Amino acid sequence: MNGRPELMTLLAGVGAVLVLASVIGAILARRYPGDNPVVANLNARIKAWWGMVVALGLAFLAGRTGVVLLFALLSFAALREFLTLTRKSRADHWSLALAFFVVLPVQYWLVWSDWYGLFSIFIPVYAFLLMPIVSALRGETGHFLLRVAETQWALMICIFCVSHVPALLYLQIPGFEGRNVLLIAFLVVVVQGSDVLQYVWGKLFGRHKIAPSLSPSKTREGFLGGVASAVLLGAALSWMTPFGPLYTACFALVIALLGFAGGLVMSAIKRDRGIKDWGHLIPGHGGFIDRLDSVVFSAPIFFHLTRYFWSTV
């Protein structure tokens, strides 16, 4: 990839931030010995971020196939988390098997082979029509609509939306050839940075809760401060995109707003199911969906903004 020098610079910068965070976490652990839940959660989150950054960095350095495989595995883990919380019957076994072992690999194969025409409609058209047919053939009508709708929503969130992240690698942008991996890095840094900054601003100045029944930790002050900071971050990272600072600031605004909305929607689903986190595989973060909830709403929009607006720059 021609963008490897910039990617290495970015990874070095992220690594420096994580080193600083690790040092701060160690200092706090010494200053507040014992079982301090806030400090313990902070250090768990920092350790988990190390693992996620290393995995993402290795995938980036491995090239297109490595990135596609990484996000395919993330989709598999997220789909498993989602479907464990949905209503199912024995009649749905074949449709679930198709979701994991046919729909998911085919979607990512379409991404890898750069078959945009079919990649963009395979799940929302063909899979959405096929899955109910397979379940209906088993003759189980109890909660049929609910079972089908939950499976379709899982496919859309965990596979279709997530697959738009590696699809950024295959956009044909004149003058930006070989650097598309930086678009993924831009998306991830802005959306995750927005989440972190909203948390920080909320802890420092948060007074008024936005949706206490969905996410008690989200405040208006945190939202405004985090989104504004993400816009500035996006403008500063314009060198990672084929756009200028004004465009990337606007894109960052859209990404941050959609990321926030995605977090609320996924929180609503968790509250409906009476759980706090989607899983427990990522210490301090919960499950894979807990880390992807902001990405899944922002990735498809960022993909299409980049696809259709680069030519106007």
Side-chain angles (χ1 to χ4, degrees):
M1 294 183 182
N2 296 332
R4 183 160 293 187
E6 295 100 325
L7 179 60
M8 295 302 295
T9 300
L10 176 66
L11 292 175
V14 173
V17 172
L18 287 176
V19 168
L20 177 60
S22 299
V23 171
I24 294 173
I27 293 173
L28 290 175
R30 283 196 168 196
R31 181 171 295 182
Y32 301 100
D35 190 17
N36 187 304
V38 176
V39 175
N41 181 263
L42 173 64
N43 284 316
R45 283 173 174 262
I46 293 171
K47 291 178 181 177
W49 270 112
W50 272 111
M52 288 185 284
V53 169
V54 168
L56 197 58
L58 291 175
F60 283 165
L61 295 175
R64 292 182 175 184
T65 301
V67 175
V68 172
L69 286 176
L70 173 64
F71 281 93
L73 292 173
L74 290 176
S75 281
F76 188 95
L79 185 64
R80 180 181 176 277
E81 288 179 350
F82 197 110
L83 289 176
T84 55
L85 299 178
T86 60
R87 189 189 300 270
K88 291 289 173 286
S89 74
R90 294 184 63 182
D92 299 313
H93 288 179
W94 280 109
S95 61
L96 293 179
L98 286 173
F100 281 102
F101 304 112
V102 176
V103 175
L104 190 153
V106 168
Q107 177 71 6
Y108 278 93
W109 176 79
L110 293 172
V111 172
W112 180 80
S113 61
D114 194 21
W115 194 346
Y116 173 76
L118 189 54
F119 149 75
S120 61
I121 65 171
F122 173 64
I123 287 178
V125 177
Y126 295 102
F128 270 34
L129 294 175
L130 174 64
M131 305 297 279
I133 294 173
V134 173
S135 292
L137 289 174
R138 302 297 297 276
E140 177 66 50
T141 60
H143 302 289
F144 180 79
L145 180 59
L146 178 63
R147 287 159 32 214
V148 167
E150 288 179 339
T151 301
Q152 290 176 328
W153 183 242
L155 294 178
M156 193 61 131
I157 291 295
C158 301
I159 304 178
F160 183 75
C161 290
V162 176
S163 67
H164 280 78
V165 180
L168 287 166
L169 293 174
Y170 296 89
L171 291 177
Q172 303 297 320
I173 304 177
F176 202 71
E177 293 86 354
R179 302 176 64 207
N180 288 39
V181 67
L182 296 175
L183 293 173
I184 297 180
F186 176 85
L187 171 65
V188 173
V189 169
V190 171
V191 74
Q192 297 298 333
S194 177
D195 282 352
V196 172
L197 291 166
Q198 286 180 42
Y199 176 82
V200 172
W201 280 94
K203 286 296 182 182
L204 292 175
F205 305 106
R207 297 292 184 273
H208 305 90
K209 299 183 183 300
I210 293 182
S213 61
L214 296 182
S215 185
S217 63
K218 295 186 184 299
T219 62
R220 297 176 188 174
E221 295 80 4
F223 167 71
L224 292 174
V227 170
S229 300
V231 170
L232 294 176
L233 177 62
L237 295 176
S238 61
W239 57 272
M240 298 171 61
T241 75
F243 310 105
L246 179 59
Y247 272 86
T248 53
C250 293
F251 285 5
L253 175 61
V254 173
I255 290 170
L257 291 176
L258 287 171
F260 176 81
L264 284 184
V265 170
M266 303 311 286
S267 291
I269 297 175
K270 289 190 290 185
R271 298 298 175 266
D272 177 59
R273 288 295 183 262
I275 60 172
K276 181 179 181 296
D277 297 313
W278 286 95
H280 307 284
L281 292 178
I282 307 178
H285 294 267
F288 287 93
I289 299 180
D290 292 295
R291 286 276 33 94
L292 291 171
D293 56 2
S294 300
V295 176
V296 296
F297 275 62
S298 56
I301 304 302
F302 178 65
F303 174 88
H304 290 289
L305 284 175
T306 304
R307 177 180 171 83
Y308 293 112
F309 285 94
W310 67 265
S311 59
T312 65
V313 180

